[in-house]
Amino acid sequence: MRRLENWQVQYITHANERYDYVEGARLALEGGCRWIQLRTKSPLLPLDEEQKRQTASELQQLCRQYNATFVIDDDVQLVKELNVDGVHLGLNDEPVASARQKLGSRIIGGTANTLEHIRQHVRDGVDYVGCGPFRFTQTKAKLATVVGLEGYRNITSSLNEMKIDIPMVAIGGITLEDIDALKQVGIRGVAVSGCVLNAQDPAAYMRQLVESINR
């Protein structure tokens, strides 16, 4: 199981007219991504509980094949049931303290939109924070206030002043062209979805993202 220690790219599953949740993740893994988050909120592909469990099972096997970390969005029970690497919790999902009680040392990530959200997550003991949205994105409904590059700069500066060291992942409308700027403001990773899934060649696009991050 990988912890979020080095700069890396996470792929959050989505579905479009060409690819379902599993196929999109497979292409991301082929492109070198080593962190997959299962989120099943595409209006094009709604899943019932059994379908979600089956999809999670397939993705777990895929991630094992690629030695990738696998977390599930907002489903602590399914994480425990399938013995998945971890869970990602939104601001209105199950409290981190409750999830930690159930999941022990498994990875727990938390969504944040402000510095105060991050400070609360740190107090609650998350392993990383997904902070955003960076810009407007259509892959998520009920979008929070856009953070932007200057917002990330202010947050990371404040965290440094407070001597708070928590891996912060940028999320929301991020593309290949944003990587260099995000690296310069103290971000520790990016979470992507639509830019990969909607690319002409998703695996090749992910490969470019990973190369950009590692150079």
Side-chain angles (χ1 to χ4, degrees):
M1 183 190 303
R2 280 189 178 81
R3 293 284 168 175
L4 227 176
E5 297 169 352
N6 300 316
W7 228 95
Q8 64 177 263
V9 57
Q10 303 179 5
Y11 176 73
I12 300 178
T13 63
H14 198 59
N16 62 14
E17 292 80 5
R18 293 189 297 167
Y19 307 115
D20 63 15
Y21 301 117
V22 174
E23 188 56 30
R26 185 192 307 276
L27 291 166
L29 290 164
E30 286 177 5
C33 179
R34 292 299 176 262
W35 188 300
I36 302 293
Q37 180 189 142
L38 174 61
R39 188 168 70 190
T40 56
K41 296 181 179 177
S42 170
L44 293 178
L45 191 57
L47 302 182
D48 62 28
E49 286 304 310
E50 185 50 42
Q51 289 170 324
K52 181 179 177 181
R53 185 177 290 102
Q54 180 59 36
T55 298
S57 246
E58 289 181 49
L59 279 180
Q60 185 178 33
Q61 293 305 313
L62 258 182
C63 287
R64 283 174 176 168
Q65 289 172 29
Y66 282 90
N67 192 28
T69 296
F70 178 45
V71 302
I72 297 176
D73 176 62
D74 181 25
D75 199 330
V76 172
Q77 186 55 42
L78 188 57
V79 167
K80 189 173 181 181
E81 180 184 329
L82 297 181
N83 195 26
V84 168
D85 293 327
V87 70
H88 186 91
L89 298 172
L91 292 169
N92 298 313
D93 295 339
E94 181 170 345
V96 171
S98 168
R100 182 61 74 196
Q101 250 189 345
K102 297 172 184 175
L103 298 180
S105 62
R106 288 186 183 90
I107 297 167
I108 298 179
T111 296
N113 181 244
T114 66
L115 176 63
E116 188 47 49
H117 291 157
I118 296 172
R119 293 178 66 192
Q120 184 60 54
H121 280 320
V122 170
R123 288 192 289 269
D124 290 341
V126 299
D127 296 293
Y128 73 94
V129 170
C131 185
F134 174 54
R135 63 164 63 90
F136 177 78
T137 174
Q138 293 183 323
T139 59
K140 186 172 184 181
K142 299 180 181 177
L143 206 63
T145 304
V146 168
V147 177
L149 199 62
E150 196 57 34
Y152 287 135
R153 194 190 314 276
N154 292 337
I155 288 172
T156 55
S157 175
S158 296
L159 291 174
N160 287 336
E161 288 175 8
M162 297 172 187
K163 301 192 184 317
I164 295 174
D165 183 20
I166 183 76
M168 189 164 74
V169 176
I171 183 172
I174 293 164
T175 68
L176 177 63
E177 289 71 28
D178 300 314
I179 300 300
D180 287 343
L182 288 168
K183 286 166 77 172
Q184 290 172 13
V185 297
I187 294 294
R188 298 265 283 275
V190 292
V192 294
S193 186
C195 68
V196 173
L197 197 67
N198 297 324
Q200 184 173 358
D201 185 337
Y205 192 92
M206 177 59 76
R207 200 167 295 115
Q208 287 181 287
L209 277 169
V210 172
E211 288 171 358
S212 178
I213 284 166
N214 290 332
R215 69 168 176 244

